[in-house]
Amino acid sequence: MRKMAAVTVPVEDPGGFVDVYKRTVTDVYSYLASRVGDRETAEELTQDVFVVGAEHVAAGEVVDVAWLIGVARHKLVDHWRAQARQDRNLALVRSAEQTHRVEEWAAIDPGAAGVVLAGLSPTYRAALVLRHVDGLSVAAVADYLGRSVEATDQVLSRARAAFRTKYQGSNR
Amino acid sequence: MSDDLDLRGIDQRHEPDPEFRAALEHRIAAIVAGSDPGSVTKPRDVATIDLEPTRTQSGPRQRSRRVAHGLLAIAVAAAVVTTMVVISRDHATAPADTPIPSPLEEPSPDEVADARSLGDYVPGIGPTEVTATRSYVSLRSGPQGWAYVTGSADSPAVHFGLLGEADDLVLSALDDRMFVASPASLSQDSSRALPAWLIDSVTGQRGALRWVHQPTAMDSAEQVLALPALHPVRLGQRFLPRVVDRRDWTIRPLSVPADAMRAVEIHQPGSGRIWIGTAPNDGDVGLAYTDDGGASWTDVELPGPLRRPSELIPENRVVVAATGDNVAVAPRFNPMVDQRLFVSADAGETWDVVPVDTGGNGQLLFVMDERLVFAVGDDFAFGDLFVSNSDSDWSRLQRVEDPPDSAYPATGINFNKGFSVGQRGVASLYRSDEQPIFSTDLSDWWSIPSLRDVSRGPDE
């Protein structure tokens, strides 16, 4: 995972959290925007993360950038979980098109790995991002997704296959 | 492709929009200073109020406290209510001595047209509730918002309506006719709290219930516990049972102890003994129940393997099903904790371990016809379904053979349907080929007799 700014000083007074916000908002936003590929969603999740952080600090808790990224990861998984429910609800095949795609993606990867990723189901996206972008262990991914390690392995296997198929298709 | 797939290249630096960044900084500064101007990413839908219940004192084991409904509380509540922006409800501002009319009204023709335009209502796609009299409400979402269809298995008449916007709705049957649709979870952002809707399944009329912050103890037959089932867990939020009060058409939080924990999901009938999750003194998570509508509570400890510090609860979710003295507890969505099912027949005084192989996946517990139903699966897949052999003994479970696909989910989206379909041991749902609507039927799609066979045995 990309290295974050070295903001590791815990915040013990509520006012100091604004400084932490200024120093870490780009890290948190980058973490989220890279993974959701959607500016509006990234902003919304970023806001959720810092609101939780502010409430945490206001309650006398200690917060640092690692904690914020941890909350961001939970928010991300919750977002995909909700998206998976929504997909089932609409019973529609999701379009790979997304609005307000983060512009930098195309420049970063002409092969459109990120776009391919965004076109996968939320379940596959969650599994691949946690495992192959965040570099978590399969057991840790299983913990986030609420699945057994064995079931997560199967999801990862299917997700990689789906990614490969779409990725190869996009490069023909 | 092997496991060494490397996608780290997508992890790039993105600068947030300066306007967003500044607006969020302003909001964060306000929050730490003790106020919250609200979301910076979306305009406020309606003016709302914080739904956190009033904190009250609690004792270590047996506690009994009465909820004070003094003049000050009434005055505060009245002031709050009068400052709320209520969704198109004239009666909301009526003087206190004026009879409060029912909030129900007919959907407009445009609303009905929009709701119908969402297409077929297919079983398993949206939250659905069915009552013992086989009236039903089903929800689904579309570009215009959340729509509903209501009807009865015994009548060809169906009704459509539209509920506005929400992220994810759940549906609860208040009785055999009236339903409540409400957001599946409360937003962490209090400025985004969403309304609840009352739906009459017979007429198709609908109306908004008013959210009122003031907690209430259920002291009237006109008060019904709503949404007793799933409340998805979110960081920093507490379990909030909600009460629909027909006397003034409000939806209020049930008075709960100060240590009530929202992270514990409890499925229970909406009357009689009420259970909640707790974390006394911010310690281990436990349970508490009330037999007087929330006026006083009795603490219950969870079985040792499930007794976890409350700070771990967002990751170590606990699900509970309870009715009367019968209570069952299991972890949900965490393969790292003890996966056994624990049941008690004496309101948590003693616990029995039920040997069920869950495969380490998420689980749901719910009460169906007084029997315990144990669904194993996760947010993305379905698993096995187990049912207790009788309504009095929850310690013996039997696996339901060949349940229909998607008939029981492990997530909130279909949970209400699964519960409702089996709640009274009757009914099923099927999609009519003639009409793109839900209907109910006793013979197709969901085989309740297989559950009956479990309880009665082959020779009865």
Side-chain angles (χ1 to χ4, degrees):
Chain A
M1 192 168 66
R2 191 174 51 83
K3 290 186 177 179
M4 302 296 174
V7 180
T8 55
V9 180
V11 178
E12 292 172 338
D13 65 296
F17 186 66
V18 177
D19 291 332
V20 169
Y21 166 79
K22 291 176 182 175
R23 296 160 68 185
T24 61
V25 63
T26 301
D27 287 327
V28 172
Y29 178 80
S30 295
Y31 175 86
L32 292 165
S34 294
R35 285 153 181 77
V36 299
D38 173 346
R39 183 172 60 90
E40 288 181 355
T41 303
E43 288 182 350
E44 192 166 330
L45 295 177
T46 300
Q47 175 176 236
D48 287 347
V49 170
F50 282 101
V51 167
V52 171
E55 291 171 347
H56 224 67
V57 169
E61 304 289 337
V62 175
V63 168
D64 59 19
V65 69
W67 186 89
L68 291 169
I69 292 298
V71 173
R73 186 175 288 133
H74 278 286
K75 291 289 179 188
L76 204 54
V77 173
D78 284 348
H79 166 70
W80 281 321
R81 209 182 284 280
Q83 209 170 32
R85 284 199 296 268
Q86 182 79 353
D87 284 357
R88 282 202 299 274
N89 202 41
L90 293 172
L92 295 172
V93 177
R94 285 190 69 81
S95 166
E97 295 293 329
Q98 299 218 2
T99 57
H100 304 290
R101 185 168 305 289
V102 176
E103 293 78 2
E104 290 86 347
W105 276 22
I108 293 166
D109 186 358
V115 175
V116 170
L117 200 60
L120 298 178
S121 74
T123 308
Y124 287 174
R125 212 179 316 163
L128 289 177
V129 165
L130 292 174
R131 177 79 180 103
H132 298 293
V133 181
D134 286 4
L136 301 183
S137 68
V138 176
V141 175
D143 202 14
Y144 272 101
L145 298 184
R147 309 176 71 98
S148 68
V149 172
E150 187 180 51
T152 302
D153 240 348
Q154 293 173 357
V155 168
L156 278 166
S157 179
R158 290 197 297 269
R160 283 190 290 266
F163 179 87
R164 177 179 56 193
T165 301
K166 290 203 171 191
Y167 187 80
Q168 289 174 341
S170 70
N171 283 323
R172 278 176 190 155
Chain B
M1 189 171 285
S2 67
D3 185 55
D4 59 2
L5 173 67
D6 188 353
L7 296 175
R8 287 176 296 177
I10 74 164
D11 200 5
Q12 295 293 316
R13 189 169 184 82
H14 300 277
E15 289 294 335
D17 175 72
E19 194 173 325
F20 162 76
R21 180 179 182 139
L24 182 55
E25 180 182 334
H26 174 73
R27 185 182 179 198
I28 295 303
I31 290 174
V32 297
S35 64
D36 186 352
S39 174
V40 302
T41 55
K42 281 183 182 177
R44 295 186 178 199
D45 299 321
V46 293
T48 56
I49 52 179
D50 184 8
L51 294 171
E52 284 290 301
T54 301
R55 286 183 174 266
T56 54
Q57 289 186 331
S58 62
R61 175 65 191 170
Q62 177 77 37
R63 56 188 164 203
S64 180
R65 60 161 177 73
R66 307 300 301 181
V67 179
H69 292 289
L71 291 175
L72 178 60
I74 294 172
V76 171
V80 168
V81 169
T82 52
T83 55
M84 287 179 66
V85 176
V86 182
I87 309 122
S88 303
R89 304 249 56 85
D90 293 339
H91 71 271
T93 55
D97 56 353
T98 303
I100 299 173
S102 162
L104 294 171
E105 60 185 15
E106 295 284 349
S108 70
D110 288 345
E111 179 182 331
V112 171
D114 284 344
R116 295 184 70 108
S117 71
L118 292 183
D120 294 355
Y121 287 76
V122 181
I125 289 183
T128 301
E129 282 277 351
V130 183
T131 70
T133 57
R134 303 201 299 168
S135 64
Y136 62 89
V137 169
S138 179
L139 302 177
R140 71 165 305 169
S141 65
Q144 299 92 338
W146 280 85
Y148 65 84
V149 59
T150 77
S152 166
D154 305 315
S155 168
V158 294
H159 310 276
F160 293 85
L162 208 60
L163 298 176
E165 295 182 0
D167 291 335
D168 194 3
L169 289 176
V170 293
L171 196 57
S172 294
L174 292 185
D175 51 34
D176 278 344
R177 174 169 176 166
M178 308 303 290
F179 296 79
V180 171
S182 168
S185 61
L186 299 179
S187 170
Q188 290 189 15
D189 180 350
S190 59
S191 69
R192 291 187 186 176
L194 293 164
W197 296 270
L198 188 69
I199 304 171
D200 184 335
S201 63
V202 174
T203 66
Q205 293 178 314
R206 85 288 180 272
L209 293 165
R210 289 184 297 121
W211 291 92
V212 174
H213 173 51
Q214 192 67 26
T216 185
M218 293 171 59
D219 56 5
S220 165
E222 292 296 294
Q223 295 173 297
V224 181
L225 188 66
L227 309 181
L230 277 184
H231 291 259
V233 178
R234 292 205 175 179
L235 282 169
Q237 292 195 347
R238 302 191 300 160
F239 175 68
L240 290 172
R242 305 171 200 175
V243 176
V244 172
D245 195 333
R246 298 169 190 263
R247 294 172 300 184
D248 58 1
W249 298 107
T250 55
I251 184 165
R252 303 166 181 264
L254 178 69
S255 291
V256 295
D259 51 27
M261 282 287 295
R262 186 168 178 265
V264 178
E265 299 173 357
I266 301 179
H267 185 261
Q268 56 190 317
S271 60
R273 177 170 290 174
I274 300 167
W275 291 79
I276 60 169
T278 61
N281 303 316
D282 291 328
D284 290 347
V285 169
L287 299 172
Y289 65 82
T290 177
D291 289 323
D292 54 16
S296 64
W297 294 86
T298 301
D299 282 339
V300 172
E301 285 189 338
L302 286 176
L306 296 183
R307 222 174 289 152
R308 294 275 173 145
S310 58
E311 64 188 23
L312 299 179
I313 274 300
E315 283 74 40
N316 296 278
R317 304 174 190 186
V318 173
V319 291
V320 177
T323 180
D325 280 347
N326 278 331
V327 56
V329 186
R332 182 188 182 211
F333 292 142
N334 194 330
M336 303 305 181
V337 300
D338 195 312
Q339 288 297 302
R340 292 176 296 178
L341 170 68
F342 297 84
V343 300
S344 173
D346 53 14
E349 289 291 328
T350 60
W351 294 93
D352 291 327
V353 180
V354 179
V356 177
D357 180 11
T358 67
N361 280 320
Q363 305 155 25
L364 280 184
L365 293 170
F366 49 104
V367 182
M368 185 170 70
D369 249 5
E370 299 295 314
R371 286 191 292 276
L372 174 66
V373 176
F374 184 34
V376 179
D378 59 40
D379 224 9
F380 302 117
F382 304 121
D384 286 325
L385 185 68
F386 302 87
V387 184
S388 66
N389 285 12
S390 75
D391 54 8
S392 59
D393 181 4
W394 283 10
S395 65
R396 299 180 185 279
L397 300 181
Q398 186 163 333
R399 183 175 178 274
V400 176
E401 298 296 333
D402 301 323
D405 289 342
S406 303
Y408 61 93
T411 62
I413 197 70
N414 288 329
F415 180 74
N416 290 284
K417 174 170 63 63
F419 163 66
S420 294
V421 167
Q423 183 182 15
R424 318 295 173 110
V426 298
S428 60
L429 295 173
Y430 74 103
R431 177 183 168 188
S432 165
D433 289 334
E434 288 77 37
Q435 293 178 301
I437 59 169
F438 264 125
S439 186
T440 58
D441 186 84
L442 285 170
S443 60
D444 194 10
W445 197 69
W446 168 278
S447 181
I448 290 298
S450 65
L451 304 184
R452 286 294 190 192
D453 292 342
V454 168
S455 63
R456 291 175 179 171
D459 299 328
E460 293 181 44

